[in-house]
């Protein structure tokens, strides 16, 4: 699949046409999900779930009974690992013509966790419905997208920086990183907050989380770090498509940041 095309064309789908997921698509989808690895080497178990069988509900989803969910141990970098892996699965679904949307709160979570047979120490961060998009969105979906400005993204120069956070990065200065950073800019995020920031250096791109209040649970689970995992996946996929060989490393370059901004990871290209 063409990664940039998939990234540019994909949107969250909450209104489906009622057609059951084709068996071939379901098998292909689950096989792909089970072989996706993440750079943190944290195993993630994926399952396709039937809403009627398990009593699953989401008030924002119409027209499908099939969901995919994943569970993993709650460990350092688990959020990034989950976001990175799930987004690759979501983009694969796009290539099959299957609609998806990330759901973390608008569901009967207890029922989903029972269906996933969650054990002590495991978490099920998000799920997604799977199905074929309806020709027309429901009124609820249209209002939700309008409310979070789902089709808007922050400007390139607001998200990316040249050397330090004092110098905004222009697309012209981005050079070989331009397409990969644009892929990051287009990434989905919780309530479209777009927490990713990046500083480029010589053959390096350092990623940071600009955190907002209300996204960290009492036990320390950070939803916006899932968004950071999505951003890392977009950068890596687009960089590889443009002929680069990005390698993820955890090497904080010590760049001065604002109090609400924290280092996540770097790509060496």
């Amino acid at each position: 699949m063409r990664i940039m095309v998939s990234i540019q064309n994909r949107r969250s789908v909450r209104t489906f046409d009622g057609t059951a997921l084709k068996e071939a698509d379901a098998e292909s989808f689950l096989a792909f999900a089970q072989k996706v690895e993440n750079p943190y080497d944290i195993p993630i178990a994926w399952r396709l779930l039937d809403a009627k069988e398990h009593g699953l509900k989401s008030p924002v989803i119409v027209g499908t009974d099939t969901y995919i969910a994943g569970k993993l141990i709650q460990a350092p970098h688990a959020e990034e690992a989950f976001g990175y892996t799930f987004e690759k699965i979501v983009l694969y679904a796009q290539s099959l013509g299957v609609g998806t949307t990330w759901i973390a709160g608008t569901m009967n979570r207890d029922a989903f966790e029972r269906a996933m047979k969650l054990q002590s120490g495991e978490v099920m961060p998000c799920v997604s419905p799977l199905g074929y998009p309806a020709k027309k969105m429901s009124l609820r979906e249209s209002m939700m997208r309008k409310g979070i400005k789902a089709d808007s993204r922050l400007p390139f120069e607001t998200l990316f920086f040249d050397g330090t956070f004092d110098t905004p990065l222009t697309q012209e200065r981005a050079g070989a990183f331009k397409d990969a950073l644009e892929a990051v800019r287009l990434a989905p995020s919780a309530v479209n907050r777009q927490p990713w920031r990046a500083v480029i250096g010589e053959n390096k791109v350092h990623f940071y989380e600009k955190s907002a209040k209300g996204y960290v649970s009492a036990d320390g689970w950070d939803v916006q770090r899932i968004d950071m995992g999505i951003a890392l996946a977009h950068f890596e996929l687009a960089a590889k498509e443009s002929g680069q060989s990005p390698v993820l490393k955890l090497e904080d370059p010590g760049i001065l940041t604002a109090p609400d901004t924290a280092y996540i990871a770097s790509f060496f290209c």
Side-chain angles (χ1 to χ4, degrees), residues 25-57:
D25 284 345
E27 290 176 355
S28 175
F29 192 76
L30 189 57
F32 179 86
Q34 291 172 338
K35 71 181 182 182
V36 177
E37 298 178 344
N38 63 77
Y40 303 96
D41 293 324
I42 299 176
I44 304 175
W46 300 98
R47 285 189 65 193
L48 297 185
L49 303 174
D50 181 87
K52 292 179 179 178
E53 178 184 350
H54 298 287
L56 310 177
K57 298 177 184 177

Side-chain angles (χ1 to χ4, degrees), residues 67-255:
Y67 289 82
I68 184 169
K71 65 177 182 177
L72 71 170
I73 60 170
Q74 189 164 357
H77 305 295
E79 298 101 317
E80 297 99 296
F82 188 88
Y84 173 98
T85 307
F86 205 9
E87 182 63 3
K88 287 192 173 185
I89 295 169
V90 162
L91 291 173
Y92 181 71
Q94 172 75 17
S95 75
L96 297 177
V98 174
T100 57
T101 190
W102 292 69
I103 299 177
T106 51
M107 60 176 165
N108 55 343
R109 176 170 283 276
D110 288 347
F112 275 92
E113 291 181 349
R114 285 195 300 272
M116 286 298 291
K117 300 179 180 179
L118 215 64
Q119 302 297 312
S120 177
E122 293 181 331
V123 289
M124 184 203 71
C126 305
V127 305
S128 173
L130 299 175
Y132 306 106
K135 292 182 179 179
K136 185 178 180 180
M137 296 182 194
S138 68
L139 177 60
R140 177 179 293 178
E141 179 173 8
S142 297
M143 294 300 292
M144 285 183 66
R145 292 184 64 83
K146 183 177 180 180
I148 64 173
K149 299 180 180 179
D151 297 314
S152 300
R153 293 294 187 272
L154 293 171
F156 197 91
E157 294 82 0
T158 300
L159 298 172
F160 310 125
F161 300 86
D162 192 352
T164 72
F165 280 100
D166 294 326
T167 307
L169 180 68
T170 64
Q171 293 194 36
E172 292 74 18
R173 281 283 299 160
F177 296 133
K178 177 183 174 181
D179 287 347
L181 290 174
E182 178 63 10
V184 172
R185 193 181 76 87
L186 295 174
S189 58
V191 200
N192 200 26
R193 291 305 296 259
Q194 306 161 65
W196 41 78
R197 300 293 183 269
V199 179
I200 69 166
E202 186 175 355
N203 299 321
K204 301 174 186 177
V205 180
H206 308 292
F207 282 85
Y208 296 81
E209 174 193 5
K210 182 177 175 61
S211 59
K213 293 181 179 180
Y215 290 89
V216 180
S217 66
D219 61 0
W221 185 265
D222 185 347
V223 171
Q224 290 193 310
R225 288 203 172 216
I226 295 177
D227 296 337
M228 293 305 305
I230 297 172
L232 296 175
H234 275 220
F235 183 90
E236 181 191 70
L237 288 167
K240 286 183 176 179
E241 187 169 76
S242 66
Q244 300 179 67
S245 301
V247 177
L248 188 76
K249 297 184 179 182
L250 303 180
E251 295 185 10
D252 189 340
I255 296 171

